Amino acid sequence: MRNGKEIAAAADHTLVLTTDGKVYGWGSNPEGALGTGDTYDKCEGPTLVTSLADKTIVHISTGSGFSVAVSSTGDLYCSGDNGMGQCGGAGKAGRSEVFAPVPFPELSGKVVGVKSGASHTLALTRDGQLYAFGRGRDGQLGNGRTTNGSTLVSGLKGVVSFAAGTWHSAAVLNDGSLWTWGNNSKSQLCDGATANRALPVQVGLPAKARATTVAAGGLATLIRDADGRLLGCGDNQFGALGSDQPPVVPEPTVLATATHASGMA
């Protein structure tokens, strides 16, 4: 894997995207998340994903038992577990063992980015709108409901960065504002509370801070601002947000200066 340019790692499987637009995968595969047409684990090194071999892939993402890929034509493909609609109905109802098109007309030829949580997917279109599908029990689809499905995330335009945590979601708009929704059990929505939110809510940032990039983990959220600082909120019981922070960081807190934050993708 000397020509890899993007990597996506879930709990049990990994994908790598190469500079020539090909995808390789390895790891656990009981739901067909590797898109190789079977459910056999791949434990002896990277395997070419042949169900994408005739396409040029530009972005990849992995969730729990499923994987998603964006082609150079702006189309979205998914393989693996679809029990909660996290593949948008691609392939068979329960799962797909190969990468199949996500059948949403509003996304066809328009997708420029994708992120996956444990059982939900976020897809960004070229006009800056964000779509969500899959598990919605914690409100992570951002449509005001707590049911599984597919939807345009409510009220967001001009999205420039977005993230899917395990059960929550986040987005940065072109005005530098940060918005979060979904599970909030450890204040990972950065709003100072612990109540779940089924609609995006703007997060208060420190004075004069403008968000540029956001990333989300299991129960935490990280933000880079225009000055290159790294901010974070959420679960810190194992020191993920810094040893000098409390076990739960309820609101965006500066964790590092520009020197340390510059590598965040």
Side-chain angles (χ1 to χ4, degrees):
M1 300 308 306
R2 296 180 184 274
N3 59 345
K5 70 170 187 176
E6 191 170 303
I7 188 167
D12 298 316
H13 73 286
T14 302
L15 297 183
V16 168
L17 173 64
T18 62
T19 54
D20 58 356
K22 303 304 179 186
V23 178
Y24 292 79
W26 63 92
S28 183
N29 193 40
E31 299 290 345
L34 298 180
T36 53
D38 56 51
T39 57
Y40 301 117
D41 294 347
K42 305 294 185 290
C43 302
E44 298 183 357
T47 298
L48 176 66
V49 179
T50 55
S51 59
L52 291 173
D54 61 340
K55 302 168 181 65
T56 300
I57 302 302
V58 294
H59 293 296
I60 53 174
S61 183
T62 52
S64 179
F66 73 104
S67 304
V68 191
V70 181
S71 71
S72 59
T73 58
D75 295 306
L76 195 61
Y77 298 86
C78 189
S79 184
D81 184 16
N82 192 38
M84 297 185 186
Q86 57 267 55
C87 277
K92 294 182 291 185
R95 73 182 186 208
S96 175
E97 295 172 8
V98 297
F99 278 89
V102 174
F104 297 151
E106 58 268 45
L107 296 179
S108 181
K110 300 177 182 178
V111 180
V112 295
V114 65
K115 303 290 183 180
S116 301
S119 299
H120 76 292
T121 301
L122 300 177
L124 179 66
T125 58
R126 65 168 62 99
D127 60 357
Q129 291 190 305
L130 200 60
Y131 289 81
F133 45 96
R135 185 184 188 274
R137 181 175 177 179
D138 294 297
Q140 60 264 56
L141 301 186
N143 60 1
R145 299 189 293 273
T146 53
T147 55
N148 301 345
S150 60
T151 184
L152 174 67
V153 177
S154 180
L156 297 185
K157 295 182 179 180
V159 175
V160 296
S161 180
F162 65 106
T166 299
W167 308 120
H168 75 290
S169 305
V172 173
L173 305 190
N174 53 15
D175 62 0
S177 61
L178 173 68
W179 300 72
T180 59
W181 61 100
N183 186 282
N184 198 27
S185 58
K186 293 291 185 179
S187 295
Q188 60 265 45
L189 300 188
C190 303
D191 62 356
T194 56
N196 294 356
R197 294 184 179 275
L199 287 171
V201 174
Q202 185 173 355
V203 174
L205 295 173
K208 298 182 180 180
R210 287 174 53 88
T212 60
T213 312
V214 65
L219 297 170
T221 302
L222 294 176
I223 310 104
R224 184 167 62 188
D225 72 5
D227 293 325
R229 297 180 301 175
L230 184 66
L231 298 86
C233 67
D235 185 22
N236 190 44
Q237 63 175 323
F238 298 112
L241 300 180
S243 59
D244 58 340
Q245 300 296 333
V248 173
V249 179
E251 297 178 330
T253 300
V254 176
L255 307 177
T257 63
T259 301
H260 298 94
S262 59
M264 179 180 169

